[in-house]
Every structure is written in structure tokens, then in C-alpha cells.
């Protein structure tokens, strides 16, 4: 090879400061096409990202090649959402070249932190479910598991949230506007995906009845690959996202004048399929485009999975030994009917055999018990959009109900609950039931949630298949959520126990004994204070509000939803505000209430609660009589990047959902790992967090899931009585209803007050109010004793090791997928 090329090839791999610097300068000129004088911050971001990307491509190829060579069993994580956030910091840290990169940029006169700021936040998800998928990708790569993510390359991610006069207003999030240096377009990886049309019956070559789907509309799914760097950079997996492309017919057909414009219009409409992420955190049923998105990415992914499998195999017998497909919620559940279609209609596999293969390949994660959030597609829509799948679903259902009939012994109500079709009203396909039936394992995402699944939504299925439901408590990646997001604390931990915790978070337990060490406590506090200063500056930039760094940072960040009860939090804030005004001579613990979160654009109640928080903040923050002892801020546009600033700075973590309604939560884990004390109900993973951090280091209050259930069932709950008997609650509500916070529109909050009274207070805000205020008081009292508070904060960090997504993912790998770590071979490196 020409020496010039050889040296460039080596340089592409070089991880030292000089090599990086030379690459940066070269990339800026030859790929970004700018010279240093004219380069913007964004140009530098693209330059650095491309140079870093160079350094992982070889290992990416090696990883893929090793999987092929060993014909390893792969796991395919199908998810409609991947909330990955920015990738530069993550790639640098996982490759272990953050410091080198910082120095290389230094030598060019640039600051890495500024460059990082130019990266858009990839918000291809709504909240917990999508962020979980992103943490799982990180953990699979870090645990050397052959894992692939499959999803949609939305052109517009989750909307950008701004506040205008305190109201949420949505703007498009154009994350791809300036290009995405991390992705590799694969225009040759194209699969046809069909919609509509009809099903034709015919006799196959041996005279058997067979079906084909004809007269359908075709869309092409085109792949974009993003490398997923595991910690240490040894394993680099693939996230494959699909983008919709019109078929070539649109481009090359012969049209007369009118038809030409129509055809181009049609092309645009077709490609709308991957244009935008649905901004709902609980599915809004009945939207045809959503059904098409789900089928689009699922079908393309399955075709790709079978194509890869067939490179090594000539029949489908060992598909379950080579591929595990995980359904992240019911969004890809149509995949069960699709795999049946591909196996039976396209590859001639017999029905019963295809069904065994399908069930052995799929597994399903349930994320919610809320009945309104369980997907159910109108039969009429399914028949029109996916006619062959509807037939297949009927067939699966008929066989299943036939089998169950004998056991049901005339219990028709039970049979109709087990059915894949909800026959009440306009008939609907229950995607949860399909996912359950077509999977060999079904899991919940926290111990409590899994128990409740057995007792509620899937009680009948659980009786039918008692081995199928299992629990996999969610986790978070310690790389992004501690090592990268909280550098002051990460450095302190490493200085005491080494850096083994980054890969094996269980090691963090060793910090527990340092909780009694005065010097360590002082340093722990100093790290927290640094993070709080950073957040305070961010708050000032975003909202114009100055907050005291030494106040108690009380944080509730998550989607705006009635069951998450931001309303309970703001009511307590009003009560505290009143107390402070009534007792001006008391020396109050200064408190900063920090909220952030988006509401689904059509969720009026959640949007009204946003407005209420902003209205209350305006009054409280400008009232000199509380002497800055209380500040309330609602940060706009909560996303992964904002979370990385907020999580490390929190003192108190609000996890106050109505018990039984939050499946797991992962924000609760991020905050506790970063040394926040939780104030929470016994809901979701809070239950397990309490078990790990200990009862003394968490503030638990409120009704339990069982009590909530009993209270609702008894019908005896009267919120008006509760309000009447609690003067501080009554006063807070009176202030809202008389327009103290909305003088321009005193009736603005009528719907909220109505829901809390005549509406029966479904989320039991009033029922939990008194205990919540007591728990808040306890937290404030404890905060006065900084030594004791810090001790408990350290014990939180030290005891959160179990909540690493590495632990979660290894449980999936061994108990559901039967997938094992594969160490990639790196021939170029071993050749020297
Ligand atoms: C990823 C990684 C790359 C590989 C490509 C195709 O982009 O190394 O060549 O996937 O892999 P298969 O989809 O053919 O397995």
C-alpha cells in the first residue's frame, strides 16, 4: 500500500492527542469543507464527531464479523422509541478518549464542552420507555451481547416545548436539519412493506390452500445504521433505524401532466410514514398512521432478521436458537402476525411449526396497566390496512380459544376476556393479548408492576400460562447517568474505590462505609454543590429566575401526567408559601422547587397543570415577604440533555405517583444514584429502591397500591370531606379558585378544582396531601443537619448498584433470551 494511505489509515485509529488533533484539522477541511477561520461551533462538532466515528468503525466491523463467524445468537430489541440524546460525550467516554480529545481541541484553541453543546439531542422517544431502550443498547454493548436495536428514524423527534405566557406551546424538533454525523445511510438495504389491498386464496404446488396479499400499496424501508459503543470500546453494536421511501415507480412512471403532480404528492405522503414521532406517552388508539408506523418498522426489521439468519441456515427450525426478538411494549406486537405471514405465506412453513417458532422467538415487555394505554386496533381498520394479518390473527385466536374452551368449562366471560378480539362495541384487536400469546416470556418492569400484571390485566392469561410472566426491574446505565453526567461525583468515587464501578456498578457499595467519614462527606457535598451551581446557572439562562445554590433542590422531572401528580407537588408548594408568609420570623430552610416535563399536545389537563405551576411560580418568586426562601421553576423543553444537568444537582427526588399506576420509573433511579433522597409513594421501582437504600434513607408516604384499590372499590372516598378537614389544603385550593394566581382569569383552574371535588379525585391527590406535607416537613428538618443529610445521600448512591441496566440486561439475557456474551476479535490490532 502507498505509504501515504497507510499512514492515514493508522492515523484514523490513533487515540493520542497529536493524532486526534491532526484528524480534526483534516476533517474540518476535507469533509466539512471549512477552514478554521470560518468554522462555526457546529462545524467543529461535525468535525470531531466524524473523527471520533473513524475510531470506532474498525471495531464495529470486527464486532459484526465476529457475530457472523460464530453464528452467535443475536437479540433484537424492537422499539418504536429510542431516546438516545447526544452521542459525542457518550462515544468519547466509552472509547476512553475524553481527556485526549479535550487536549487536542485545547491545542486548536477550542473547548470540548462548547463543541458538545452544538450537538442536537436525538429525542426519538417520549419518556421512560424510549430512554430504557437507549440504556439497554448501552448495556448490551458493554456486556458484549450481540444486541441490535430496531426502530424508526423519525425526521422530527419529540416536539420542542416552549412556554408562552405560561402555556405550553409545541414546536417541531428538527434534529436532522444539519445532518447527523453518527449515522450511516444504507440505501442498498431496502425492504418493501405493504398496506391495504386484499387477500387472494389459491392452491399451492401440492394442492394445499394458500394465501397471497395482492393489490397492496408498497413503501420501501431504508436502513440507517448508528454504531452503539460499549464501555471500553471493545464491542460496537448496531442501532438500525428505518426511513420510509416511495418505490421507484413514483419516480420513473409515465404520467400525463395531472398524474405527474399527483404522483409526486403521493410520494411525499408515502414518505410521511417516518416523518414524526407521536408525542403521546400513553397510546392514543385508532390513529391509522400510527398503526402503519408500527407495522412499517416491524415488518422491515423482521425481513432483515430473516435475511441475516438465512445467510447461515437453509430452514427455519433453529430460528429461536439464533434470534431472540424483544417487543418493547405492544407497539411492535403486530410482528407476531407478520412473522407468521412471512414463514407461512412466503417461506411455506406449516402453520403449527411456524407458530412454535414464532412463540419461541418472541418475548414481550409490558409497560403499563392503564387500560386506556393498552393498544387495541379497530378490526375494521386492521382489515383495511393489514388484511392478511387480520386473517392470521383470527386464525391464531380460533385455535387458542378452541384449546382454552375445554378448560374454561363454559365460563364464557373468561373466554371473551382471553380473546384477541374485544367484541364489545366496535370490535377491536387487543394487541396486549396478541403479544402475550405469541411470546414465550412476558415481563413487567418492577416487582410490584409484575405482581399487579398477574392480578389485573393478564390475570386470565396468567392462569392459562403460569410460567410465562416474569419480572425484570428496569435499570439505568451508570455510564451516561453517573460517569458522564456527574463528573465531580464520578471523579470523587473513582479516587476512593477505583473505576471498576463504571462497568460493575455493584462495586459502588464500597462507598457505604465512607458515609461516616467526615472528610468524604465534605467532598461529597462539594461535588453536589458544583452540580447545583451548574444547574442554577442553567435555570437562570432558561427562566431568568435566580435560585440559591444552598437551598434544598426539590426536583420533579418527568412527563406531565395526572397520575404522576405534579399537582400534589404544586399544592404543597402553595401550602409552604402560606406558612412562610404566616411565620416570617421563623428561620426557614430555603427550598427551590424544580419541575420539568412535557405534556402530550392533546392532554388538556396536563397542559393546564403546566400553566398552574407557571402561574404559582410567578406569584411566589416575586413575593418579597418569603425572602427568597421559596422559589419555583418549571424548566422548558425537558429532554435527555437537560436531565443530564438536573439529575446530578438534585437533593430531593419527587416520585409521588398514585400507588399502582407507575409501572417502574427510571428517573427515580437516576436521581437516587446521584445522591438525591427520594420522597415517594410505594409505587413502581420505589418499592425496590426502599429495599436497597434502607427505610431510614428515604421518605415514604401515602396510600399503598392495595389501599388505593380498596378505597376506589369501596366508593366511600369523599374528597370534599378531606378538603374541609385540612385547612392548609382548603386554603391552597381557595387561592386557586379565587384567582390569586390567575387574576387575569380567575376561573382558569376550574377544571382542576372540579376534578379534585365533583370528579371524585381519581388520582387521590387530596387523600395523600396531609401525609405528603408531613414527609416534606421531615425532609426540610433533615436538610438543616447537613452532616446527616449527606450521610443519607451517600448511602443512597452506595446502595443503588443493583439498578444498573447491566444487571437488568443480563437477567433478560439469561432468563428470557438465552443470549451469551461474544468477545469480538480485532485482527488488525493483534497483527500490530
Ligand atoms: C452494520 C455494521 C456493519 C455491517 C452492517 C450490515 O452497519 O459492519 O456491515 O451492519 O450487517 P448485516 O445487517 O448484514 O448483518
Amino acid at each position: 500500500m502507498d505509504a501515504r494511505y497507510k499512514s492515514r489509515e493508522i492515523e484514523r485509529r490513533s487515540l493520542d492527542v497529536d493524532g486526534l488533533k491532526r484528524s480534526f484539522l483534516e476533517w474540518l477541511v476535507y469533509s466539512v469543507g471549512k477552514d478554521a477561520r470560518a468554522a462555526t461551533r457546529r462545524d467543529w462538532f461535525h468535525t470531531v464527531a466524524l473523527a471520533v466515528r473513524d475510531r470506532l468503525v474498525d471495531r464495529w466491523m470486527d464486532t459484526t464479523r465476529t457475530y457472523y463467524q460464530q453464528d452467535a445468537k443475536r437479540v433484537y430489541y424492537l422499539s418504536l422509541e429510542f431516546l438516545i440524546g447526544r452521542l459525542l460525550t457518550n462515544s468519547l467516554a466509552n472509547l476512553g478518549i475524553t481527556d485526549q480529545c479535550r487536549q487536542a481541541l485545547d491545542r486548536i484553541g477550542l473547548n470540548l464542552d462548547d463543541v458538545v453543546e452544538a450537538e442536537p439531542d436525538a429525542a426519538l422517544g417520549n419518556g421512560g420507555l424510549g430512554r430504557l431502550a437507549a440504556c439497554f443498547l448501552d448495556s448490551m454493548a458493554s456486556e458484549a451481547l450481540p444486541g441490535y436495536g430496531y426502530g424508526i428514524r423519525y425526521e422530527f423527534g419529540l416536539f420542542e416545548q416552549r412556554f408562552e405566557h405560561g402555556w405550553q406551546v409545541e414546536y417541531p424538533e428538527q434534529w436532522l436539519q444539519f445532518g447527523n454525523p453518527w449515522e450511516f445511510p444504507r440505501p442498498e438495504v431496502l425492504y418493501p412493506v405493504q398496506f391495504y389491498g386484499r387477500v387472494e386464496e389459491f392452491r399451492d404446488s401440492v394442492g394445499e390452500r394458500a394465501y397471497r396479499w395482492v393489490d397492496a400499496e408498497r413503501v420501501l424501508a431504508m436502513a440507517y445504521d448508528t454504531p452503539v459503543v460499549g464501555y471500553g470500546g471493545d464491542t460496537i453494536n448496531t442501532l438500525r433505524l428505518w426511513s420510509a421511501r416511495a418505490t421507484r415507480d413514483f419516480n420513473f412512471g409515465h404520467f400525463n401532466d395531472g398524474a405527474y403532480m399527483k404522483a409526486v404528492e403521493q410520494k411525499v405522503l408515502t414518505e410521511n410514514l417516518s416523518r414524526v414521532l407521536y408525542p403521546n406517552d400513553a397510546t392514543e388508539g385508532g390513529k391509522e398512521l400510527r398503526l402503519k408506523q408500527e407495522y412499517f418498522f416491524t415488518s422491515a426489521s423482521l425481513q432483515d432478521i430473516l435475511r441475516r439468519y438465512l445467510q447461515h441456515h437453509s430452514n427455519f427450525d433453529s430460528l429461536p436458537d439464533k434470534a431472540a426478538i424483544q417487543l418493547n411494549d405492544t407497539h411492535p406486537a403486530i410482528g407476531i402476525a407478520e412473522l407468521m405471514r412471512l414463514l407461512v405465506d412466503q417461506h411455506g412453513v406449516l402453520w403449527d411449526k411456524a407458530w412454535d417458532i414464532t412463540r419461541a422467538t418472541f418475548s414481550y415487555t409490558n409497560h403499563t396497566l392503564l387500560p386506556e394505554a393498552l393498544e387495541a386496533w379497530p378490526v375494521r381498520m386492521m382489515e383495511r390496512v393489514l388484511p392478511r394479518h387480520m386473517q392470521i390473527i383470527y386464525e391464531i385466536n380460533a385455535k387458542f380459544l378452541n384449546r382454552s374452551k375445554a378448560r374454561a368449562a363454559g365460563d364464557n366471560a373468561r373466554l371473551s376476556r382471553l380473546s384477541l378480539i374485544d367484541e364489545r362495541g366496535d370490535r377491536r384487536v387487543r394487541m396486549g393479548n396478541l403479544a402475550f400469546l405469541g411470546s414465550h416470556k412476558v415481563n413487567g418492569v418492577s416487582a410490584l408492576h409484575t405482581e399487579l400484571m398477574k392480578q389485573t390485566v393478564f390475570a386470565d392469561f396468567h392462569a392459562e400460562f403460569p410460567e410465562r410472566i416474569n419480572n425484570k426491574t428496569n435499570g439505568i446505565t451508570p455510564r451516561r447517568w453517573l460517569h458522564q453526567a456527574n463528573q465531580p461525583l464520578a471523579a470523587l468515587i473513582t479516587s476512593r474505590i477505583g473505576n471498576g464501578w463504571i462497568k460493575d456498578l455493584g462495586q459502588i457499595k464500597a462507598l457505604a462505609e465512607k458515609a461516616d467519614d467526615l472528610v468524604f462527606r465534605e467532598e461529597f457535598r462539594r461535588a453536589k454543590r458544583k452540580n447545583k451551581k451548574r444547574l442554577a446557572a442553567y435555570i437562570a439562562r432558561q427562566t431568568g429566575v435566580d435560585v440559591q445554590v444552598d437551598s434544598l433542590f426539590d426536583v420533579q422531572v418527568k412527563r406531565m401526567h395526572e397520575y404522576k401528580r405534579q399537582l400534589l407537588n404544586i399544592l404543597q408548594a402553595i401550602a409552604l408559601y402560606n406558612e412562610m408568609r404566616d411565620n416570617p420570623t421563623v428561620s426557614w430552610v430555603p427550598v427551590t422547587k424544580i419541575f420539568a416535563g412535557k405534556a402530550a399536545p392533546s392532554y388538556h389537563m396536563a397542559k393546564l397543570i403546566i400553566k398552574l405551576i407557571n402561574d404559582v411560580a410567578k406569584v411566589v418568586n416575586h413575593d418579597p415577604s418569603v425572602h427568597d426562601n421559596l422559589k419555583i421553576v418549571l424548566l422548558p423543553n425537558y429532554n435527555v440533555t437537560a436531565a443530564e444537568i438536573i439529575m446530578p444537582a438534585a437533593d430531593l427526588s419527587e416520585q409521588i405517583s398514585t400507588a399502582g399506576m407507575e409501572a417502574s420509573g427510571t428517573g427515580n433511579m437516576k436521581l437516587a444514584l446521584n445522591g438525591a433522597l427520594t420522597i415517594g409513594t410505594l409505587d413502581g421501582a420505589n418499592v425496590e429502591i426502599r429495599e436497597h437504600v434502607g427505610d431510614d434513607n428515604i421518605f415514604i408516604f401515602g396510600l399503598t397500591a392495595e389501599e388505593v384499590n380498596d378505597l376506589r372499590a369501596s366508593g366511600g372516598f369523599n374528597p370534599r370531606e378531606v378538603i374541609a378537614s385540612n385547612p392548609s389544603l382548603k386554603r391552597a385550593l381557595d387561592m386557586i379558585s379565587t384567582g390569586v394566581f390567575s387574576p387575569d382569569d380567575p376561573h382558569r383552574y376550574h377544571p382542576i378544582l372540579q376534578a379534585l371535588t365533583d370528579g371524585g379525585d381519581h388520582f387521590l391527590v387530596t387523600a395523600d396531601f396531609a401525609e405528603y406535607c408531613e414527609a416534606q416537613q421531615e425532609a426540610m428538618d433533615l436538610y438543616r443537619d447537613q452532616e446527616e443529610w449527606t450521610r443519607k445521600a451517600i448511602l443512597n448512591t452506595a446502595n443503588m448498584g443493583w439498578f444498573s441496566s447491566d444487571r437488568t440486561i443480563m437477567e433478560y439475557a439469561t432468563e428470557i433470551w438465552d443470549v451469551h456474551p461474544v468477545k469480538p476479535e480485532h485482527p488488525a490490532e493483534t497483527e500490530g
Side-chain angles (χ1 to χ4, degrees), residues 221-241:
M222 173 183 151
Y224 284 78
D225 288 349
T226 302
V228 179
V229 187
Y231 183 66
D234 208 32
T235 292
I236 302 189
N237 283 335
T238 303
L239 167 62
R240 178 160 277 186
L241 300 177

Side-chain angles (χ1 to χ4, degrees), residues 60-61 64 68 148 186 225 238 240 304 307-308 311:
W60 190 25
M61 305 287 135
T64 314
Y68 272 104
Y148 293 70
R186 305 287 190 212
D225 288 349
T238 303
R240 178 160 277 186
D304 200 37
R307 187 260 318 158
R308 192 173 293 117
Q311 293 184 37

